[in-house]
């Protein structure tokens, strides 16, 4: 094949099979590789050697922004820009500013979390070599795959496919980019 | 066993020998992954059943009552509703709180039960979340149209306008604007994130079936999801965080709704237990509605393997628990009304139970406190028809709870000379009746076009998803 | 494998005898604390010391109720992760009997000198602003509930309920160790289904009688829920500390305990921190916003003196209650690492236990008034008697726990969920 391939894909029928294979690929030192699963498999992150996701930090930043926005908005509108005296209450008090700030905290956290998740995942990406695999449809149904990318420094067509085969992978194929 | 590998395994672990009490399975009959996919996707891919068209037609017809009621209101004025001194808040806010409350069970199931790792939630969370969104839509109709000139409803948001003046952030009604719009937005986001992997499944299935158009549509919203575990890792974390923030959100929304009443000085409204009491009531009514919706769905689509007797038991027990908490709050309110030695407080509660609205009060007590007590019995819980009927009672009871709180306190407050009696007008009745049609229309569209259960999550709670399967466990 | 088991059990023997020594120490500390409190009677007088003692007993009762609720909730939800540590909660429940005994001095005092702690018990008690309790219409209306006989009967019922529930839960759980019969699990579920409503009612009315009625004009429907949140936070914190103690001692080594157990319990502690804040904030907020004098006076007592100057309680409220009780543990426990690092979460748990005590002081001690009707300050000799009471009663509770500890297995070895618990992962 003339065109450089994206990498190798191997099929696994069961979750435990994939789990054991992932541990082997991890221990072999690969970095640019992935598992394709139709469901979130518990413990697979550890088997792949993934770090804890950074999404929570983005969420926290969103939350703080939301809270500050809420407090500032209530103070600026009701106590600064157009001071408003209602019901003998103070111009500004964190007490009555709290409900709105609280809601904005949550709203901003939600947006930060979701946008953060998409950005960290590199989505939306409607075109991806993995999606061109003939049987990828089953990866959203009941089958598991391991993909090892060609750009991984340890990638070597013969050795890598031997590793996948030895780990129990079936139907090992090259993916075109 | 894991401990066998440790050199210094303590003696106690040698003695571990659990009594036999198997857990209920969450997916019955040991169904495979692909069976789940076929079952759920089959509902969308199959031909539209005749009953669906019939129900849809009826739902749209009922919804037209809301449209008619609102059109008449816009054309004429808010005076067409039955409010008048002293009851200036009535069905509009009753219906608003009623619908918002129903929505809360959806968030509870998807968020709180997720945090508590109650895996049985997977069978019902998708439709419960859909229910939340549609209930918020129905709820929003009432305050938005009660503002009178609805085309000025944007004044509710702090958008610079020609009057220069800003919103009054001391008002709980303004907090409501933020709470409900945040709630609606976050519910939609949460729902959408949950849908993402399932949309990818549908995209690929329609593609394989040669339906390029539908594949494109589902694919557009699937964002190119490809089941990558690197994605799952962030996805699961994001889902957990959304669950984590939805929990205080759902509490805050009904808390702020309760503030609408509790920050006032009116006897029967101003009481400190309102926030948790309203939240418990909301969850109670929401579970009533979940049962009302899911039991027919289970029967029609033969989902007995996915919504098992265990699921029904769990829902009944939560209904029982929250109903009893609501009962605690009623009792505490009554007790403190007496204990406070405040004659107005005392009168309000006596008036609720024995005054002109006593009929509503006793409907409320019967439906909310007594009805759920039937769920103590296993035989009742196993009788799906009976459970369904009882769930209707819960819905009715919670509507009356809001009616009792709102109307009785306003109708007879401090000054007997300005007491009154409120009855709804036909326009109000139309508008409220129609919201059931709006809700059903949206729900029917949902079950036709979107997966009614989260396939990926369902698969994750089956035994074959457990990678440890008795072997290399740590 | 059998040799490992033999050495492990051989090594376990001195550990068991060490709990006996520890129990002896705890009892000594407890008795010294109680003796010091008794000496306080001659230093500061009966009223101050008795009110301080009320803080101490309420504190430990709250924690014990928290642990009772944890066991009840464990059974009703068929939970699995908590099986490994549930046994420790059950041991701690043995303290209810002693707490009942230790409450007796307050009951005796109430009969001997009514009105000393709870002013409404003495009809001749002068209320601030003139008049006596007996002539006070607000008292007359409530006299059916606020009577010494009702108070005594209710208190006996509270302790009776808690002791009865604890005994049933302990007995069934311990019996299962021997025969491994699933019927014990069913029995505990029935106890829990009954026990949760009973505990909810008893703890609410305990809070009303023991604490809220100190200021009998005041009322708040939220009060029982407020007390419940403190119970839960106290119970969870003590649960964390017991886990960390066993971990340090080595009992939990080798696969009994894993970090996910800690993560679960500290996440619950986090959740109840938020819930406590929600309840406390809502109560304050609604009273602040409505601004009705018959309710606000309770908070005014805790903010300003009669002459309008701020008093110490205001700063206790802001620093200890708002920041100490909520923000500090909340922000710390947001972190996954802090929640799962034993020495950090142990400190957070100790911190929470300390601020619960301050919260109870905030609710109870302002009942002690000076000649102007202003509450006596937070920093005063009273605090010493609060501490001696807490140490005294706590020592007895710890002794009761340690005495129960060696009587059964470390974990419920025949619980149907024990393997699930041992292999618990997120």
């Amino acid at each position: 094949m003339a065109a450089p391939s994206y990498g190798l894909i191997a099929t696994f029928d069961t979750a435990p099979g994939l789990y054991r294979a992932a541990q082997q690929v991890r221990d072999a030192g690969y970095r640019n590789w992935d598992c394709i699963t139709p469901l979130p498999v518990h413990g697979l992150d550890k088997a792949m050697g993934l770090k804890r996701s950074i999404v929570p930090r983005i969420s926290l930043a969103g939350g703080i922004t939301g809270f500050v926005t809420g407090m500032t908005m209530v103070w600026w509108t009701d106590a600064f820009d157009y001071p408003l005296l209602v019901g003998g209450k103070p111009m500004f008090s964190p007490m009555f500013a709290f409900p709105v700030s609280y809601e904005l905290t949550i709203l901003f956290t939600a947006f930060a979390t979701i946008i953060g998740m998409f950005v960290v995942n590199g989505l939306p990406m409607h075109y991806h070599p993995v999606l061109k695999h003939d049987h990828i449809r089953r990866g959203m149904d009941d089958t598991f795959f391991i993909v090892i990318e060609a750009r991984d420094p340890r990638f070597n067509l013969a050795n890598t496919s031997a590793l996948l085969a030895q780990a129990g992978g079936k139907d090992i194929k090259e993916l075109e980019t | 066993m894991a401990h066998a590998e440790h050199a210094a395994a303590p003696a106690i672990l040698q003695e571990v020998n659990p009594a036999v009490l198997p857990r209920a399975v969450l997916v019955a009959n040991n169904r495979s992954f692909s069976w789940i996919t076929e079952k759920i996707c089959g509902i969308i891919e199959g031909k539209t059943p005749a009953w669906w068209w019939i129900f849809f037609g009826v739902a749209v017809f009922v919804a037209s009552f809301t449209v008619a009621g609102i059109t008449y209101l816009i054309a004429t004025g808010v005076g067409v509703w039955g409010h008048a001194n002293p009851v200036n808040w009535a069905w509009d806010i009753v219906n608003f709180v009623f619908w918002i409350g129903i929505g809360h069970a959806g968030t509870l199931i998807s968020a709180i039960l997720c945090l508590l790792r109650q895996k049985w939630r997977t069978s019902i969370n998708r439709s419960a979340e859909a229910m939340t969104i549609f209930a918020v839509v129905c709820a929003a109709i009432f305050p938005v149209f009660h503002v009178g000139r609805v085309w000025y409803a944007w004044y509710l948001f702090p958008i610079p306008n020609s009057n220069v003046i800003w919103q009054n952030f001391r008002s709980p009604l303004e907090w409501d604007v933020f709470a409900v719009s945040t709630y609606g937005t976050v519910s939609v986001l949460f729902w959408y994130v949950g849908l993402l992997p399932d949309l990818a499944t549908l995209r690929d299935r329609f593609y394989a079936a040669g339906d390029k158009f539908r594949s494109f549509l589902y694919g557009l919203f699937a964002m190119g999801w490809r089941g990558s575990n690197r994605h799952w890792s962030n996805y699961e974390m994001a889902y957990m965080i959304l669950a984590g923030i939805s929990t205080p959100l759902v509490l805050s929304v009904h808390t702020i709704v309760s503030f609408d009443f509790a920050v006032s000085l009116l006897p029967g409204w101003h009481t400190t237990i309102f926030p948790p009491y309203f939240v418990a009531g909301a969850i109670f009514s929401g579970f009533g509605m979940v049962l009302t919706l899911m039991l027919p769905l289970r029967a029609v689509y033969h989902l007995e393997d996915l919504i098992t007797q265990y699921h029904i038991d769990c829902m009944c027990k939560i209904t029982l628990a929250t109903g009893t908490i609501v009962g605690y709050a009623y009792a505490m309110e009554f007790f403190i009304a007496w204990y406070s030695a405040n004659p107005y407080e005392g009168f309000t509660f006596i008036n609720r139970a024995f005054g002109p609205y006593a009929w509503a009060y006793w409907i409320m007590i019967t439906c909310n406190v007594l009805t759920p007590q039937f769920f103590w019995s296993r035989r009742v819980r196993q009788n799906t028809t009976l459970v369904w009927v009882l769930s209707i009672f819960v819905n009715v009871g919670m509507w009356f709870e809001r009616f009792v709180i709102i109307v009785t306190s306003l109708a007879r407050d401090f000054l007997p000379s300005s007491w009154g009696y409120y009855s709804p007008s036909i326009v109000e009745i139309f508008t409220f009746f129609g919201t059931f049609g709006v809700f059903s229309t949206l729900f029917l569209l949902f079950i036709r076009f979107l997966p009614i259960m989260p396939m990926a999550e369902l698969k994750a709670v089956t035994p074959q998803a457990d990678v440890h399967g008795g072997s290399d466990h740590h | 494998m059998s040799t490992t088991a033999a050495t492990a059990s051989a090594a376990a023997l001195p550990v068991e005898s060490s709990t006996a020594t520890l129990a002896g120490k705890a009892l000594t500390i407890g008795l010294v604390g109680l003796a010091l409190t008794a000496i306080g009677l001659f230093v500061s007088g009966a009223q101050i010391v008795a009110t301080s003692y009320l803080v101490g007993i309420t504190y430990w009762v709250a924690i014990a109720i928290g642990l009772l609720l944890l066991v009840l909730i464990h059974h009703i939800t068929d939970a699995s992760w908590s099986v490994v540590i549930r046994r420790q909660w059950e041991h701690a429940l043995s303290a209810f009997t002693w707490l009942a005994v230790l409450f007796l001095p307050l009951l005796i005092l109430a009969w001997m000198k009514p009105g000393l702690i709870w002013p409404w018990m003495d009809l001749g008690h002068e209320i601030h602003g003139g008049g006596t309790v007996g002539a006070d219409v607000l008292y007359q209306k409530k006299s059916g509930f606020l009577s010494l006989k009702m108070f005594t009967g209710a208190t006996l019922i509270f302790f009776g309920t808690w002791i009865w529930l604890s005994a049933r839960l302990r007995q069934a759980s311990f019996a299962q160790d021997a025969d491994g019969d699933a019927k014990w699990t069913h029995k505990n579920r029935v106890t829990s289904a009954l026990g949760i409503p009973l505990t909810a009612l008893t703890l609410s009315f305990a809070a009303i009688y023991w604490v809220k009625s100190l200021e009998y004009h005041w009322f708040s429907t939220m009060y029982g829920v407020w007390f419940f949140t403190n119970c839960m936070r106290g119970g969870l914190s003590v649960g964390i500390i017991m886990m960390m103690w066993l971990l340090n001692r080595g009992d939990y080594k080798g696969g009994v305990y894993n970090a996910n157990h800690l993560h679960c319990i500290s996440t619950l502690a986090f959740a109840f921190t938020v819930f406590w804040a929600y309840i406390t904030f809502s109560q304050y907020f609604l009273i602040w916003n409505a601004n009705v004098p018959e309710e606000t006076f309770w908070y005014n007592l805790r903010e300003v003196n009669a002459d309008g100057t701020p008093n110490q309680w205001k700063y206790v409220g802001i620093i200890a209650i708002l920041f100490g009780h909520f923000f500090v543990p909340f922000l710390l426990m947001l972190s996954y690492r802090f929640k799962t690092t034993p020495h950090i979460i142990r400190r957070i748990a100790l911190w929470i236990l300390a601020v619960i005590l301050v919260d109870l002081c905030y609710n109870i001690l302002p009942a002690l008034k000076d000649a102007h009707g202003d509450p006596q300050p937070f920093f005063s000799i009273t605090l010493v008697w609060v501490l001696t009471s807490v140490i005294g009663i706590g020592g007895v509770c710890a002794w009761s726990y340690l005495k129960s500890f060696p009587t059964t297995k470390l974990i419920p070895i025949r619980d149907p969920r024990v393997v699930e618990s041992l292999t618990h992962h997120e």
Side-chain angles (χ1 to χ4, degrees):
Chain A
M1 220 194 299
S5 73
Y6 174 79
L8 283 171
I9 188 162
T11 309
F12 297 83
D13 289 330
T14 64
L18 173 89
Y19 179 77
R20 282 189 291 272
Q23 286 175 321
Q24 291 180 33
V25 177
R26 173 196 67 191
D27 294 342
Y30 285 93
R31 300 212 164 268
N32 300 320
W33 64 289
D34 209 343
C35 296
I36 303 293
T37 63
L39 59 136
V41 178
H42 269 296
L44 191 58
D45 289 359
K46 216 171 173 182
M48 280 180 72
L50 297 186
K51 290 206 188 76
R52 220 174 140 78
S53 166
I54 64 154
V55 171
R57 291 175 211 177
I58 305 171
S59 312
L60 186 64
I64 293 168
T65 316
F67 190 77
V68 173
T69 308
M71 282 286 171
T72 317
M73 179 181 74
V74 174
W75 169 80
W76 192 81
T77 55
D78 278 14
F80 183 76
D81 186 51
Y82 193 122
L84 202 60
L85 185 63
V86 183
K89 295 220 160 47
M91 291 293 181
F92 177 77
S93 161
M95 295 297 288
F96 63 69
F98 186 75
V100 167
S101 311
Y102 182 91
E103 297 304 330
L104 289 183
T105 309
I106 289 180
L107 187 67
F108 280 43
T109 311
F111 275 111
T113 307
I114 289 173
I115 295 170
M117 188 267 284
F118 277 123
V119 169
V120 173
N121 281 347
L123 295 177
M125 184 184 284
H126 289 285
Y127 178 87
H128 193 274
V130 167
L131 292 176
K132 289 171 77 177
H133 183 51
D134 298 337
H135 300 295
I136 196 66
R137 182 173 76 77
R138 305 217 27 213
M140 307 292 140
D141 181 1
D142 64 346
T143 309
F144 304 83
F145 302 95
I146 287 183
V147 184
I148 302 184
E149 294 175 33
R151 67 189 165 104
D152 191 287
R154 286 173 188 267
F155 186 86
N156 167 309
L157 202 55
N159 291 352
T160 307
S161 68
L163 172 74
L164 286 170
Q166 182 247 328
K170 289 185 293 190
D171 191 22
I172 300 167
K173 284 216 173 101
E174 268 190 273
L175 282 174
E176 48 187 302
T177 47
Chain B
M1 278 299 303
H3 59 262
E5 298 149 25
H6 294 277
I12 191 82
L13 290 185
Q14 313 296 323
E15 298 176 47
V16 165
N17 179 15
V20 181
L21 188 63
R23 272 195 193 277
V25 288
L26 294 172
V27 178
N29 295 328
N30 203 15
R31 299 297 190 179
S32 70
F33 290 153
S34 58
W35 182 87
I36 294 173
T37 317
E38 286 297 329
K39 186 82 200 170
I40 307 295
C41 293
I43 294 173
I44 302 167
E45 291 162 355
K47 205 170 150 294
T48 310
W51 66 261
W52 190 89
W53 283 114
I54 296 166
F55 276 82
F56 190 70
V58 173
V60 171
F61 174 68
V62 175
S64 70
F65 280 72
T66 294
V67 178
I70 287 171
T71 312
Y72 185 64
L73 175 123
I74 293 173
T76 317
V78 189
V80 300
W81 283 355
H83 313 156
N85 267 333
V87 185
N88 283 309
W89 250 13
W91 269 41
D92 54 337
I93 195 94
V94 171
N95 299 336
F96 165 72
V97 181
F98 171 74
W99 277 116
I100 279 282
I102 282 177
H104 282 22
T107 324
L108 177 98
I109 291 165
S110 47
I112 302 183
L113 297 184
C114 176
L115 293 183
L116 294 176
R117 314 223 165 81
Q118 296 290 312
K119 291 177 179 166
W120 58 272
R121 68 183 268 285
T122 48
S123 297
I124 48 172
N125 76 329
R126 174 70 46 73
S127 22
E129 287 166 34
M131 179 189 87
T132 297
I133 295 165
F134 307 148
V136 171
V137 169
C138 293
I141 291 173
F142 295 96
V144 164
F145 284 92
H146 193 205
V147 301
R149 283 171 288 180
V150 68
W151 48 97
Y152 285 132
W154 62 275
Y155 273 18
L156 292 167
F157 291 94
I159 300 166
N161 59 53
S162 57
N163 298 331
V164 192
I165 197 167
W166 293 101
Q167 287 65 31
N168 170 23
F169 283 103
R170 294 158 194 78
S171 164
L173 298 180
E174 185 61 26
W175 307 338
D176 256 346
V177 172
F178 279 82
V180 174
S181 49
T182 300
Y183 186 50
T185 315
V186 174
S187 300
V188 171
L189 290 175
F190 195 23
W191 192 52
Y192 172 63
V193 169
L195 273 166
L196 201 62
D198 290 353
L199 293 175
T201 306
L202 282 164
R203 168 197 69 196
D204 291 352
R205 285 175 66 92
F206 278 121
Y207 190 82
D211 188 340
K212 295 276 155 53
F213 174 66
R214 288 214 261 178
S215 174
F216 172 78
L217 271 185
Y218 285 106
L220 191 65
F221 288 100
M223 297 277 179
W225 183 263
R226 56 178 188 274
S228 153
N229 192 57
R230 287 176 194 274
H231 291 179
W232 276 119
S233 173
N234 293 316
Y235 173 92
E236 288 276 279
M237 185 57 83
Y239 198 83
M240 238 8 218
I241 293 170
L242 286 174
I245 59 169
S246 297
T247 304
L249 174 64
V250 69
L251 260 72
S252 76
V253 172
H254 231 64
T255 296
I256 289 175
V257 168
S258 82
F259 283 171
D260 290 350
F261 312 104
V263 299
S264 73
L265 303 177
L266 202 62
W269 283 14
H270 176 64
T271 178
T272 50
I273 205 170
F274 255 33
Y277 152 46
F278 264 52
V279 171
I283 292 165
F284 174 64
S285 71
F287 265 93
M289 192 54 116
V290 171
L291 282 168
T292 311
L293 294 173
M294 292 312 281
L295 293 177
L297 217 54
R298 174 185 192 248
V300 169
Y301 285 123
H302 301 290
L303 299 168
E304 287 83 359
D305 286 346
L306 297 174
I307 305 174
T308 62
Q309 181 58 41
Y310 174 70
H311 290 96
I312 298 173
D313 276 348
C314 287
M315 288 190 270
C316 290
K317 285 175 190 169
I318 291 193
T319 313
L320 170 60
T322 47
T324 312
I325 294 175
V326 169
Y328 168 92
Y330 293 158
M332 190 50 87
E333 269 193 321
F334 230 102
F335 171 71
I336 297 290
W338 173 81
Y339 178 85
S340 74
N342 176 326
Y344 300 104
E345 283 286 336
F347 169 78
T348 298
F349 282 88
I350 297 296
N351 179 48
R352 276 185 190 173
F354 304 108
Y357 290 107
W359 55 276
Y361 183 83
W362 293 107
I363 292 176
M364 166 187 102
I365 293 286
T366 314
C367 292
N368 291 352
V369 185
L370 302 182
T371 306
Q373 305 306 326
F374 284 105
F375 290 142
W376 284 100
S377 153
R378 178 178 298 148
R379 280 191 34 220
V380 171
R381 295 197 305 261
Q382 281 171 345
N383 183 338
T384 4
T385 321
L386 191 55
V387 171
W388 191 77
V389 172
L390 290 172
S391 79
I392 300 281
F393 274 94
V394 170
N395 289 318
V396 172
M398 280 310 290
W399 188 87
F400 274 97
E401 181 196 293
R402 280 64 174 250
F403 181 82
V404 166
I405 292 173
I406 292 159
V407 175
T408 61
S409 281
L410 283 171
R412 291 189 163 188
D413 61 357
F414 301 99
L415 199 61
S417 62
S418 47
W419 285 358
Y421 190 88
Y422 160 83
S423 307
S425 77
I426 190 73
V427 183
E428 267 171 308
I429 296 173
F430 266 38
T431 312
F432 177 56
F433 174 66
T435 49
F436 288 98
V438 175
F439 182 81
S440 314
T441 307
L442 292 168
F443 199 80
L444 283 163
L445 289 171
F446 157 71
I447 59 176
R448 188 71 209 101
F449 294 108
L450 287 171
I452 57 168
M453 289 184 189
M455 292 180 275
E457 285 186 61
L458 273 175
K459 290 170 191 170
V461 299
T462 58
Q464 61 265 38
D466 182 13
V467 292
H468 300 304
S471 59
D472 54 7
H473 180 256
H474 274 274
Chain C
M1 193 46 64
S2 57
T3 45
T4 344
T7 38
S9 58
L13 280 174
V15 170
E16 281 187 14
S17 63
S18 83
T19 54
T21 331
L22 214 53
K25 280 185 196 161
L27 187 60
T28 317
I29 293 172
L31 293 176
V32 169
L34 292 173
L36 284 173
T37 316
I39 291 170
L41 289 169
F42 303 99
V43 180
S44 303
Q47 191 182 22
I48 284 179
V49 174
T51 311
S52 312
Y53 187 78
L54 176 66
V55 176
I57 192 98
T58 313
Y59 180 70
W60 287 105
V61 168
I63 289 169
I65 294 174
L67 291 163
L68 174 64
L69 283 166
L70 282 174
V71 179
L72 294 171
I73 294 169
H74 166 94
H75 287 300
I76 204 79
T77 54
D78 193 8
S80 63
W81 68 270
S82 41
V83 174
V84 162
I85 54 171
R86 195 192 72 218
R87 181 51 52 83
Q88 306 313 315
W89 305 342
E90 289 163 355
H91 286 312
L93 292 185
S94 65
F96 267 125
T97 324
W98 300 107
L99 286 167
V101 171
L102 289 171
F103 200 91
L104 284 178
L106 289 179
L107 279 184
I108 294 166
L109 199 65
W111 282 92
M112 278 168 53
K113 295 189 86 175
L116 194 67
I117 307 174
W118 295 277
W120 52 264
M121 287 183 183
D122 176 15
L123 296 185
H125 184 97
E126 289 274 333
I127 51 175
H128 191 73
T132 60
V133 167
D136 179 9
V137 68
L138 286 179
Y139 173 74
Q140 289 163 354
K141 292 244 181 187
K142 310 178 188 195
S143 56
F145 178 74
L146 293 181
S147 76
L148 192 47
K149 280 183 193 151
M150 285 283 285
F151 180 93
T152 312
T155 302
L156 295 177
I157 290 172
F158 301 153
F159 278 109
T161 312
W162 300 329
I163 292 170
W164 177 66
L165 287 172
S166 304
R168 273 178 72 93
L169 293 166
R170 278 162 55 89
Q171 188 264 337
S173 171
F174 297 167
Q176 196 171 44
D177 275 8
D179 62 10
D181 196 330
K183 79 173 181 202
W184 299 115
T185 304
H186 289 297
K187 187 185 169 199
N188 271 339
R189 284 185 196 164
V190 173
T191 309
S192 304
L194 279 173
I196 289 175
L198 284 177
T199 313
L201 285 176
T202 47
L203 81 85
S204 307
F205 280 95
I208 293 173
Y209 266 127
W210 299 352
V211 186
K212 189 157 87 173
S213 79
L214 286 165
E215 216 71 71
Y216 70 89
H217 283 188
W218 190 67
F219 53 90
S220 165
T221 38
M222 188 75 113
Y223 212 69
V225 189
W226 163 81
F227 190 61
F228 161 76
T229 57
N230 267 333
C231 293
M232 289 303 288
R233 292 185 74 187
L236 287 163
S237 301
V238 166
I240 291 172
I241 287 165
M242 289 192 295
M243 266 171 101
M244 295 304 101
W245 173 65
L246 289 170
L247 187 67
N248 281 343
R249 239 170 56 116
D251 296 68
Y252 274 173
K253 286 243 167 65
V256 178
Y257 152 95
N258 67 50
N260 290 317
H261 296 129
L262 185 55
H263 187 221
C264 279
I265 193 169
S266 41
T267 306
L268 271 181
F270 172 75
F272 275 95
T273 300
V274 178
F275 190 63
W276 174 89
Y278 166 59
I279 296 300
T280 311
F281 173 79
S282 297
Q283 176 174 292
Y284 182 85
F285 182 76
L286 289 175
I287 290 174
W288 179 87
N289 214 322
N291 208 9
V292 185
E294 59 187 7
E295 293 174 344
T296 50
F297 85 93
W298 194 87
Y299 281 111
N300 277 340
L301 273 176
R302 284 154 180 80
E303 284 180 18
V304 287
N305 291 320
D307 59 7
T309 51
N311 62 25
Q312 280 189 6
W313 293 104
K314 178 174 183 177
Y315 303 105
V316 173
I318 294 171
I319 298 167
I321 309 291
L322 177 62
F323 282 91
H325 213 352
F326 174 62
F327 277 112
V328 172
F330 171 77
L331 292 174
L332 290 176
M333 283 197 287
L334 275 177
S335 152
Y336 175 78
R337 190 170 69 82
F338 286 0
K339 274 192 296 234
T340 48
T341 310
H343 68 273
I344 297 177
I345 191 69
R346 200 189 68 211
R347 282 181 203 158
I348 297 175
L350 285 169
W351 173 260
I352 294 175
L353 286 174
V355 279
I356 290 173
L357 182 62
V358 180
D359 196 12
L360 287 175
C361 288
Y362 183 84
N363 276 269
I364 293 173
L365 292 184
L368 293 167
K369 305 282 193 324
D370 65 13
H372 308 288
D374 291 329
Q376 297 196 354
F378 176 62
F379 288 108
S380 63
I381 186 82
T382 318
L383 209 51
V384 174
W385 311 125
V386 169
L387 291 177
T388 56
S389 310
V390 166
I391 292 168
I393 301 164
V396 174
C397 291
W399 164 72
S400 169
Y401 163 73
L402 290 165
K403 204 162 56 78
S404 176
F405 180 77
T407 57
T408 66
K409 303 285 182 193
L410 177 68
I411 54 174
I413 46 169
R414 309 219 52 188
D415 186 282
R417 307 284 175 248
V418 64
V419 172
E420 265 181 67
S421 181
L422 288 169
T423 60
H424 175 69
H425 54 90
E426 269 182 74

